[in-house]
Amino acid sequence: MERANLVSRVEEALSVFLTKQRDRLTRIDAALTPIADSAEMFILGGGKRIRPAFAYWGYRGAGGADDDTTIACVASLELLQASALIHDDLMDDSDTRRGEPSVHRRFANRHSTENWAGPAEEFGAASAILLGDLCMTWSDELFSGAGMPAERISAARDDFDAMRTEVCAGQFLDVLNQVQRDNSIERALKVARYKSAKYTIERPLLMGAALAGGSDRLREIYSAYGLPLGEAFQLRDDVLGVFGDPEQTGKPAGDDLREGKHTFLIASAYQASDQAGRRLLDGSLGDPELSDSGIEALRELITATGALATTEERIDRLADQSAQALRDGKEFIADEAAVVLDDLADAAVRRSL
């Protein structure tokens, strides 16, 4: 199946599900229409559908047959992703997502336009929290109610549940890092693993394998392939968060620096810096008013210390490790899925996905 076709089918499943939720909400009260509108706009308005893709091809690699119920089941991961992003943008006080106002900004703007009582920012934050919670709830509803056999849903439940716990744990560690100013490489890698690596690739693969009744050996192969690939994916995201083009990322240039993200890239720069460099990092990282020249000074430091090169080298090593695991386990994976997983790996690291 071509990637575009899979994306289209996932989005169709999401559209059908969200229409049902719109009807449910507006029967309660017409005032909930903006919640339904925002959910549809956020979930259907962008995204690469990476997690459903890995779950689907994990399922096909385990011998599962293509059908619409499987597509709907793995589409539930996009609702989980929406919840994580909505809350993440609020915690980071981000103005935009995919080039559009973030959810909390959208509701704050509505408050201001309508001249409602109280602080607009508080209304925006409350609305984003509740919409994010709804998306988390909906992810479980779609996962369980898509129409897959009950025994297969039961088999995949452990991975689905663990995934949600792990991403919240990783997110908390990320927030904790910022306030503790933990610049250790060990903690940065742990955040990358639990906030993104397992959640983006390994767990969706394992969930797909479980939905198809995959063997323990296949699960081992998927983990050996998925974990390093997931880490490489997150490290690429970290590089884009500092050096990326806003046209590609959908967020302002250097946004991770203003938010104070203590990533592997930053930890590597801190470890390799002299006292002057560390003072610059300590004084600038996490400053929401950091100027463009301040961002450029941090970029120059990150490059000069070799942190950017170190991160790129680690991405390459992890990608090679993932590719080798896929080659070693190829005999246990259905042929078409093995080819697609190889393509997905390259796209995930190079960000053509």
Side-chain angles (χ1 to χ4, degrees):
M1 180 192 299
E2 291 184 5
R3 189 187 307 162
N5 186 28
L6 177 59
V7 168
S8 176
R9 291 177 66 190
V10 166
E11 291 179 350
E12 175 61 25
L14 289 170
S15 180
V16 170
F17 180 81
L18 290 171
T19 296
K20 183 177 77 170
Q21 299 305 328
R22 170 183 287 278
D23 291 343
R24 177 182 287 175
L25 288 169
T26 54
R27 280 199 303 269
I28 296 171
D29 197 302
L32 292 167
T33 299
I35 288 288
D37 290 343
S38 292
E40 290 178 357
M41 190 177 306
F42 191 85
I43 295 164
L44 301 177
K48 303 296 180 63
R49 317 309 183 196
I50 297 169
R51 291 155 192 85
F54 279 106
Y56 174 81
W57 287 107
Y59 167 84
R60 293 294 303 277
D66 175 60
D67 57 60
D68 289 339
T69 57
T70 303
I71 296 291
C73 186
V74 301
S76 67
L77 298 181
E78 282 301 299
L79 297 169
L80 175 57
Q81 170 71 346
S83 173
L85 292 179
I86 291 168
H87 286 165
D88 190 53
D89 285 344
L90 176 60
M91 286 183 280
D92 291 340
D93 198 27
S94 297
D95 290 328
T96 60
R97 168 68 62 178
R98 300 168 186 150
E100 298 291 334
S102 51
V103 168
H104 63 282
R105 289 283 185 264
R106 190 182 303 278
F107 278 98
N109 292 341
R110 180 179 176 83
H111 180 288
S112 297
T113 299
E114 299 291 341
N115 198 28
W116 288 335
E121 292 76 13
E122 290 184 11
F123 176 74
S127 301
I129 290 168
L130 292 168
L131 181 53
D133 288 349
L134 261 181
C135 289
M136 178 72 82
T137 300
W138 288 345
S139 72
D140 197 287
E141 183 177 340
L142 184 54
F143 169 73
S144 300
M148 295 287 288
E151 65 273 15
R152 295 275 60 89
I153 290 295
S154 179
R157 169 63 66 179
D158 283 350
D159 289 307
F160 187 66
D161 289 344
M163 180 192 316
R164 291 182 292 172
T165 296
E166 287 165 354
V167 71
C168 289
Q171 182 66 69
F172 179 78
L173 290 176
D174 189 26
V175 171
L176 187 64
N177 271 10
Q178 293 178 53
V179 298
Q180 291 183 334
R181 291 184 171 271
D182 189 330
N183 291 301
S184 69
I185 287 175
E186 178 184 6
R187 176 57 70 83
L189 289 177
K190 182 172 285 187
V191 169
R193 169 168 286 208
Y194 286 97
K195 183 181 176 182
S196 185
K198 294 174 77 67
Y199 159 68
T200 301
I201 298 177
E202 187 204 21
R203 285 295 183 188
L205 284 167
L206 295 178
M207 177 180 144
L211 287 172
S215 67
D216 289 344
R217 176 61 183 133
L218 181 62
R219 289 176 63 85
E220 291 172 359
I221 294 164
Y222 279 170
S223 288
Y225 159 81
L227 263 178
L229 181 59
E231 185 182 328
F233 175 88
Q234 181 56 46
L235 296 185
R236 173 61 61 213
D237 196 62
D238 295 341
V239 171
L240 290 173
V242 174
F243 295 95
D245 181 350
E247 292 285 330
Q248 180 182 3
T249 64
K251 303 191 79 173
D255 219 31
D256 280 6
L257 299 174
R258 292 192 178 98
E259 291 168 8
K261 297 291 187 183
H262 286 249
T263 62
F264 175 82
L265 180 69
I266 295 300
S268 297
Y270 197 87
Q271 296 298 322
S273 288
D274 56 17
Q275 285 189 339
R278 292 186 178 189
R279 281 197 300 271
L280 176 60
L281 286 164
D282 289 339
S284 300
L285 192 66
D287 177 2
E289 304 301 324
L290 189 63
S291 65
D292 289 346
S293 61
I295 286 174
E296 190 55 38
L298 286 176
R299 286 173 170 164
E300 289 174 2
L301 177 67
I302 290 166
T303 302
T305 57
L308 177 59
T310 296
T311 303
E312 291 288 356
E313 289 165 5
R314 185 173 181 87
I315 290 171
D316 288 342
R317 286 199 306 274
L318 289 165
D320 289 344
Q321 182 182 337
S322 174
Q324 186 61 54
L326 189 63
R327 286 193 294 270
D328 291 345
K330 206 167 184 178
E331 64 181 289
F332 296 92
I333 304 172
D335 289 346
E336 182 183 6
V339 172
V340 175
L341 289 174
D342 188 43
D343 290 342
L344 285 174
D346 183 69
V349 173
R350 306 306 163 199
R351 282 308 175 88
S352 57
L353 234 187

